[in-house]
């Protein structure tokens, strides 16, 4: 008689995670395997494209304010601090459009000066008119800053070291993946890896202030434009982004959101 035996072993998923991802899981208290897989996919996709370090990357996983606050690139820096009313759950974080915001402690004048890229992913679109800022610190007049947002339902307002507060590009949908980068004096904004606007930014220095998520402050008047959209990812990288890096960032974030079932 021939006997057949089956031996089962528990798979140790953690052995395949990048050390940077693992450090994030530990700091943020991420224990769910699907969330770990999603975050690790995002980081490894960025890393393969040469984006292994950056100023900050907020994957917004864990379903609560504390895990949402951690910076994947370096969990000991640029942790988010919150103000106002923000909803945190498994679908990301969402301000109330009135006072909810998250402070990154990122200062464009020191952290992003020169070539850089920033992005966000939102699951919902703008539901009210007027200015709605996704992220940034902006300044009026001759003191331009760094800003991504929407002036109406269809106009994408962007400013990155330019002479005016905003430069407008039309976009049909304000949800999805948006990336803004500066290379030299050229600023480009893309939605889902498709260019929707470019312009020339003649200035050579950035605003001395702190970037906020779901809001941006107009200095010196301190007028704040808030967003009530639902967000699942923010990234800030001081690097010269190529078109290939643009695509990698889009694929990294979209892949993470697809694994989590949060893609739109």
């Amino acid at each position: 008689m021939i006997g057949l035996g089956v031996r089962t072993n528990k798979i140790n998923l953690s052995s395949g995670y990048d050390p940077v991802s693992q450090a994030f899981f530990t700091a943020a208290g991420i224990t769910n395997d699907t969330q770990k897989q999603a975050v690790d996919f995002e980081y490894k996709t960025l890393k393969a494209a040469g984006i292994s370090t950056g100023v900050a990357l907020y994957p917004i996983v864990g379903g609560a304010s504390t895990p949402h606050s951690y910076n994947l690139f370096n969990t000991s820096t640029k942790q988010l601090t919150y103000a106002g009313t923000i909803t945190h759950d498994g679908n990301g974080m969402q301000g109330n459009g009135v006072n909810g915001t998250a402070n990154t402690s990122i200062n464009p004048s020191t952290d992003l000066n020169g070539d850089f890229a920033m992005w966000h992913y939102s699951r919902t679109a703008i539901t009210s008119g007027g200015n709605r800022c996704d992220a940034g610190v902006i300044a009026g007049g001759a003191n331009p800053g760094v800003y991504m947002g929407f002036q109406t339902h269809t106009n994408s307002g962007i400013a990155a070291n330019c002479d005016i507060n905003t430069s407008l590009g039309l976009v049909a949908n304000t949800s999805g993946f948006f990336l803004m980068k500066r290379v030299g004096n050229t600023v480009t904004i893309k939605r889902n890896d498709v260019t929707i606007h470019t312009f020339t930014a003649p200035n050579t220095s950035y605003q001395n202030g702190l970037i906020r998520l779901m809001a941006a402050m107009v200095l010196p008047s301190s007028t704040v434009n808030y967003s009530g959209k639902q967000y699942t990812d923010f990234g800030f990288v001081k690097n010269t982004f190529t078109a290939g890096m643009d695509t990698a960032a889009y694929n990294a974030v979209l892949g993470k959101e697809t694994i989590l079932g949060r893609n739109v």
Side-chain angles (χ1 to χ4, degrees):
M1 175 181 287
I2 300 176
L4 297 178
V6 178
R7 180 180 179 182
T8 60
N9 292 312
K10 184 177 181 179
I11 299 173
N12 182 9
L13 295 175
S14 64
S15 63
Y17 297 136
D18 189 277
V20 172
S21 300
Q22 187 60 57
F24 173 80
F25 303 149
T26 300
I30 304 300
T31 58
N32 180 275
D33 286 336
T34 301
Q35 293 175 5
K36 287 183 176 183
Q37 178 188 359
V39 171
D40 195 54
F41 175 88
E42 179 178 15
Y43 181 73
K44 286 179 176 177
T45 302
L46 292 172
K47 184 177 181 179
I51 314 169
S52 59
T53 60
V55 178
L57 174 59
Y58 305 103
I60 313 181
V61 296
S65 60
T66 298
H68 287 176
S69 71
Y70 278 95
N71 170 14
L72 171 60
F73 284 142
N74 185 339
T75 58
S76 65
T77 65
K78 310 301 184 188
Q79 186 171 359
L80 298 178
T81 56
Y82 305 109
T85 300
I86 302 171
T87 299
H88 296 271
D89 58 30
N91 287 322
M93 66 180 183
Q94 185 170 12
N96 61 355
V98 178
N99 60 12
T101 184
N103 190 340
T104 66
S105 298
I106 297 171
N107 188 329
S109 68
T110 55
D111 294 318
L112 297 177
N113 206 19
D115 291 355
F116 79 97
M118 59 187 284
W119 67 76
H120 69 268
Y121 191 94
S122 62
R123 300 188 70 245
T124 58
I126 293 173
T127 57
S128 61
N131 297 345
R132 292 292 182 265
C133 300
D134 296 296
V137 51
I138 59 176
N143 298 308
V146 173
Y147 156 80
M148 292 183 73
F150 296 90
Q151 303 305 301
T152 68
H153 289 276
T154 58
N155 290 326
S156 172
I158 57 176
N161 213 26
C162 59
D163 280 335
I164 57 175
N165 280 342
T166 58
S167 182
L168 296 179
L170 294 179
V171 59
N173 189 334
T174 58
S175 65
F177 178 82
F178 285 85
L179 179 143
M180 180 174 71
K181 67 176 181 178
R182 175 171 176 155
V183 178
N185 281 356
T186 300
V187 176
T188 303
I189 188 169
K190 296 183 175 184
R191 177 183 183 270
N192 293 345
D193 205 31
V194 177
T195 299
I196 58 175
H197 193 55
T198 61
F199 70 96
T200 299
N203 295 305
T204 57
S205 61
Y206 291 99
Q207 177 65 32
N208 181 21
L210 299 179
I211 288 179
R212 303 164 76 176
L213 308 182
M214 304 175 289
M217 180 178 289
V218 182
L219 303 174
S221 64
S222 297
T223 301
V224 181
N225 295 324
Y226 294 93
S227 171
K229 293 162 64 177
Q230 186 178 64
Y231 298 92
T232 61
D233 203 276
F234 287 92
F236 302 86
V237 178
K238 181 175 169 53
N239 202 341
T240 301
F241 255 49
T242 63
M245 289 178 171
D246 299 347
T247 301
Y250 170 62
N251 288 337
V253 175
L254 182 63
K256 181 200 73 176
E257 300 306 331
T258 300
I259 292 170
L260 294 172
R262 306 191 304 191
N263 57 303
V264 296

